[in-house]
């Protein structure tokens, strides 16, 4: 893994000359996350849901403000009653959360979850469990998974095993099989060295929006709004909570509070199948990637989606085919054509700053005199080494808001998206406004209602891992 990434990064650096124009051009790729979560966003990954990233969140922990919580989700549209095999993590893949704390678009830290399966059913039963399950050690739980959590700390040239044999919260089979799922979820929270904790298991999909945006932007007349079309579905979730000093440059969140975050999934490149047997081998290949929501799904054209999923952030600026999808984003042009709302003037330097640099006066002052979340604002960063790239950026020094606004920064809440992303941030409404120029000229009144889905259908938790418990009622029963 480390060798492969090092080789690719050196190759990317060799192509860096003349990349400033490309970096600016890539704003559309980064700024397009306006209209849905990254569910089934590209042709290849849509056929491999266990390793399909859906969302990434990064926020200062509301109940432990000296820590940061990272959440990443995979496996979109898990129907709760999808047995008998339900929704296991892939055992031939690496699930990664990456941190860039010096702004060179390379992962300084990678937290990696690798899963193993213990299937005890054999030829005895088709059931996931053969009686009610009351703990993760209950012998009635016949299908189990565990994981190893490894930290790749590149600045210090070390690889650290943070957890081994950690227990995964199983899929929620239903109340007869798992009468108190909350107990099982709590048992799947694992302490890790340095005062952190890790979780892996199923959860309610925390994203909320009306996916009918794809029907020519809400029916062509804003008639198709108000339906949370991911409500009731589950996802597979990993969550990590660690002290700020574990993530920030030099371990110093006071001098260097800003980090960039993205997730990725790597699979082995060769899969051999024979009747009843599957074996994976070969080199590791990145098959999915996610930072800001909806980059690949809405902005990148169909012919480049699979390629985007394979790119490292440092390579973003080296892909000329993406140039015309950036400073000239598609969504505002569609809104103008369908609704007659004038698109902002291009090229879109505001989007370049927000999504490729982080908000900083070192890029310019068109977004106000605001140094918010760019790694360029870290005191120990050499600006000459900074590389614009698509990442979800977070300023870890901003305390949790006493009364958070679902509109994040646009709602006057500096701890909200696009400064990191909290579970309750309404990123669709925020991003649509940003695409329409609200960060520069103020909110667009005609779109103020957004998709009329302003909150998740179930409440989030107040303690780690914060995501809601997975649903156990069929989605189609809601209709």
């Amino acid at each position: 893994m480390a060798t492969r990434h090092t080789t690719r990064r050196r190759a990317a650096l060799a192509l860096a000359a003349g990349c400033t124009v490309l970096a600016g051009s890539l704003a559309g790729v980064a700024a397009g996350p306006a209209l849905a979560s990254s569910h089934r966003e590209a042709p290849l990954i849509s056929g491999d849901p266990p390793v399909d990233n859906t969302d990434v969140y990064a926020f200062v922990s509301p109940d432990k403000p000296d820590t940061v919580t990272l959440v990443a989700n995979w496996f979109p549209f898990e129907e709760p009653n999808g047995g008998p095999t339900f929704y296991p993590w892939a055992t031939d893949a690496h699930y990664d959360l990456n941190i860039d704390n010096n702004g060179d678009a390379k992962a300084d830290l990678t937290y990696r979850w690798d899963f193993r399966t213990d299937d005890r059913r054999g030829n005895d039963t088709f059931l996931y469990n053969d009686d009610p399950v009351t703990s993760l050690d209950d012998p009635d739980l016949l299908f189990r998974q565990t994981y190893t959590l490894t930290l790749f700390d590149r600045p210090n040239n070390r690889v650290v095993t943070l957890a081994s044999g950690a227990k995964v919260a199983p899929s929620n089979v239903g109340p007869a099989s798992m009468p108190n799922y909350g107990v099982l979820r709590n048992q799947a929270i694992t302490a890790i060295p340095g005062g952190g904790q890790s979780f892996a298991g199923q959860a309610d999909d925390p994203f909320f929006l009306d996916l009918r945006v794809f029907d020519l932007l809400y029916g062509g007349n804003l008639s198709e709004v108000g339906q949370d079309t991911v409500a009731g579905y589950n996802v597979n979730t990993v969550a990590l909570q660690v002290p700020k000093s574990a993530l920030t440059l030099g371990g110093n969140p006071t001098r260097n509070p800003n980090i960039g975050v993205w997730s990725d999934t790597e699979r082995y490149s060769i899969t051999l199948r024979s009747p009843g047997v599957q074996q994976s081998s070969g080199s590791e290949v990145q098959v999915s990637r996610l930072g800001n929501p909806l980059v690949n799904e809405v902005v990148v054209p169909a012919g480049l989606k699979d390629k985007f999923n394979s790119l490292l952030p440092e390579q973003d600026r080296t892909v000329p085919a993406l140039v015309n999808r950036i400073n000239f984003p598609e969504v505002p042009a569609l809104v103008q054509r369908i609704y007659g709302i004038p698109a902002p003037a291009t090229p879109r330097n505001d989007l370049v700053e927000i999504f490729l640099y982080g908000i900083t006066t070192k890029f310019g002052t068109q977004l106000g005199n605001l140094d918010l979340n760019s790694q360029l604002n870290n005191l120990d960063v050499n600006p000459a080494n900074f590389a614009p790239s698509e990442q979800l950026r977070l300023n870890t020094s901003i305390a949790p808001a006493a009364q958070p606004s679902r509109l994040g920064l646009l709602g006057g809440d500096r701890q909200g998206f696009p400064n990191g992303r909290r579970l309750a941030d309404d990123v669709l409404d925020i991003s649509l406004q940003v695409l329409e120029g609200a960060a520069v000229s103020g909110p667009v009144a005609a779109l103020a209602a957004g998709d009329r889905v302003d909150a998740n259908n179930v409440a989030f938790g107040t303690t780690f891992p914060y995501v809601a418990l997975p649903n156990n009622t069929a989605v189609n029963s809601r209709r």
Side-chain angles (χ1 to χ4, degrees), residues 325-379:
R325 310 296 296 194
I326 310 301
N327 274 318
F328 307 91
E330 182 179 4
V331 170
L334 288 173
V335 170
Q336 177 172 308
R337 176 165 63 87
I338 296 171
Y339 293 108
I341 299 172
T346 55
R348 295 292 301 278
N349 288 330
D350 57 330
L351 303 183
V352 175
E353 179 177 349
I354 291 170
F355 293 102
L356 292 183
Y357 285 78
I359 299 174
T360 173
T361 57
K362 294 179 175 61
F363 181 85
T365 57
Q366 62 179 358
L367 298 180
N369 190 27
L370 182 61
D371 282 322
L372 183 62
N373 62 355
S374 175
Q375 295 101 322
L376 281 168
N377 297 330
N378 289 339
L379 295 180

Side-chain angles (χ1 to χ4, degrees), residues 9-264:
R9 288 176 178 135
R10 286 174 179 166
L13 287 175
L15 295 170
C19 287
T20 301
V21 172
L22 285 175
S25 299
L26 205 52
V29 173
L35 305 170
S37 179
S38 184
H39 295 51
R40 295 175 51 81
E41 82 285 352
L44 286 177
I45 202 63
S46 66
D48 198 2
V51 294
D52 185 0
N53 291 266
T54 66
D55 288 283
V56 173
Y57 302 83
F59 51 91
V60 175
S61 309
D63 57 326
K64 294 184 177 180
D66 59 336
T67 70
V68 168
T69 295
L70 308 175
V71 176
N73 299 327
W74 283 265
F75 214 142
F77 300 116
E78 293 180 5
E79 215 292 334
N81 298 314
T85 55
F86 292 93
Y87 304 101
W89 296 89
T91 57
D92 58 348
H94 302 306
Y95 295 86
D96 295 345
L97 271 169
N98 304 286
I99 307 296
D100 170 19
N101 53 35
N102 63 7
D104 63 359
K106 303 174 186 179
D108 299 297
L109 306 170
T110 295
Y111 292 89
R112 167 166 290 179
W113 286 258
D114 288 308
F115 293 89
R116 298 185 64 183
T117 295
D118 177 12
D119 190 344
R120 304 181 179 190
R121 294 172 295 182
N123 295 327
D124 297 329
T125 182
F126 65 88
L127 292 169
Y128 197 84
N129 55 286
D130 58 4
D131 261 321
V133 176
T134 58
S135 78
L136 295 183
D137 294 321
D138 193 323
D140 294 317
L141 181 59
L142 303 179
F143 188 92
R144 309 174 182 209
Q145 289 195 297
T146 59
Y147 65 89
T148 299
L149 175 59
T150 306
L151 168 62
F152 296 86
D153 180 355
R154 295 180 183 84
N156 295 304
N157 194 30
R158 65 187 187 120
V159 179
V160 182
T161 300
L162 298 177
S164 180
K167 296 174 183 178
V168 174
S171 295
N172 190 354
V173 177
S177 292
M178 297 173 177
N180 192 339
Y181 188 88
V183 169
L184 304 181
R185 206 267 283 279
N186 289 339
Q187 291 176 358
I189 297 174
T190 299
I192 60 176
Q197 47 189 341
S198 168
F199 168 80
Q202 194 178 51
D204 167 74
D205 189 339
F207 202 75
F208 50 93
L209 80 167
D210 194 322
L211 276 171
R212 291 176 294 178
V213 63
F214 297 115
D215 185 13
L216 290 183
L217 296 179
Y218 300 117
N221 59 2
L222 292 179
S223 63
E224 296 179 355
V225 294
Q227 179 189 94
D228 184 353
T229 40
V230 296
Y233 289 103
N234 298 322
V235 289
N236 283 358
T237 293
V238 299
L240 179 73
Q241 187 176 78
V242 293
K244 296 176 181 179
S245 57
L247 302 178
T248 49
L249 179 62
N252 192 332
T254 301
R255 290 181 59 83
N256 305 301
N258 301 292
I259 61 174
V261 181
W262 70 95
S263 65
D264 71 75

